[in-house]
Amino acid sequence: MISFRYFYVAPVLLCLFCACKKEKNPGLYKPLFVVEGWIEKDDFPYVTLTHNLPFFAAVDSAQLAEIIIRYAKVTVSDGLETEVLTGTVDQQFFPYFVYRGTSLKGKSGHKYSLKVEYAGNTLTAETEIPNPVSLDSLWFSSRPKDTRQLNVRIVDAVNEKNYYRLSTKLEKESTYTPTMLANQDDSFFNGKTIVLQVNRGVANNLSSKQDPYFQVGDDVIVKLSAIPATGYDFWNSLQDEILNGSNPLISSAKALKTNIKGPGVGIWCGYHSSYYRLLAK
């Protein structure tokens, strides 16, 4: 089983900060829950639950520990089977507390509802697991100093709406990282072939520098995920936040396109993923 643990560090930190953007009046802090949940084909559902912080709040390890919500009731249903997820500590996640299922598994084409109940609050969301998508081919091209650029070719299905999300990891690593510009909508290449130069994404938002290329000898695994429209809308709006936040000349005033209903932000998303392995030569 390959989990979606790679989603955490960058997206959740951004959710915390974007959910409480700097207002004209910084005293207007609106408490919100931050939800990140997913269910992948042939895997169990996973959910992390935190709350946001005021814009000027100090952020340290103690504060991050305080934002984790550990005693919520988290329920996932496919309309026939319903499961209450179990909360557990897992240091491979960030935050390190996750609610996970043990019986309900994702199936292609099925819809899944999420319900979170905590301290008199209720949050809900719905998602589905799309049909699979695939890469036509992938290869490396040369770059200076023994580095390699990853390239992928996608042949998009005709008259079928598809949303793509790309991530990579080295074989020796345990987690995947979304690539730069990881999210693709086939609006501009429906039924056509598209070639993408894939740049490695940063492992987390605290990293100030990231080499976009791979090194010669790297054993690389590429993960291509089909996601629903709501998943694309969220991840793409978050991607915009990341890009705008790195540019001092562009202000960031857009709200994340969350599919969480209730006093919260975040994403509940289904994934159908394919995996490809290639040695950088």
Side-chain angles (χ1 to χ4, degrees), residues 8-39:
Y8 285 90
V9 178
V12 174
L13 281 178
L14 265 194
C15 282
L16 295 175
F17 298 143
C18 294
C20 49
K21 292 178 181 293
K22 185 176 181 180
E23 306 287 347
K24 292 181 179 179
N25 183 350
L28 298 178
Y29 162 61
K30 183 180 180 181
L32 290 172
F33 296 102
V34 180
V35 180
E36 186 178 0
W38 66 93
I39 181 167

Side-chain angles (χ1 to χ4, degrees), residues 21 240-241 243-245 247-254:
K21 292 178 181 293
D240 289 344
E241 290 286 346
L243 295 176
N244 291 341
N247 188 336
L249 301 179
I250 299 178
S251 63
S252 179
K254 294 182 179 179

Side-chain angles (χ1 to χ4, degrees), residues 188-263:
F188 300 104
F189 57 91
N190 184 265
K192 300 179 181 179
T193 298
I194 182 173
V195 175
L196 302 173
Q197 290 187 333
V198 179
N199 290 338
R200 300 176 70 181
V202 295
N204 63 74
N205 287 331
L206 302 180
S207 299
S208 59
K209 186 177 181 180
Q210 172 72 25
D211 189 343
Y213 307 126
F214 292 92
Q215 299 294 317
V216 171
D218 282 346
D219 193 353
V220 181
I221 301 177
V222 179
K223 187 173 195 172
L224 178 69
S225 300
I227 57 177
T230 53
Y232 172 82
D233 288 342
F234 173 81
W235 289 119
N236 201 51
S237 66
L238 182 56
Q239 179 176 276
D240 289 344
E241 290 286 346
I242 295 172
L243 295 176
N244 291 341
S246 63
N247 188 336
L249 301 179
I250 299 178
S251 63
S252 179
K254 294 182 179 179
L256 295 180
K257 294 182 178 180
T258 177
N259 68 344
I260 305 298
K261 296 181 180 179

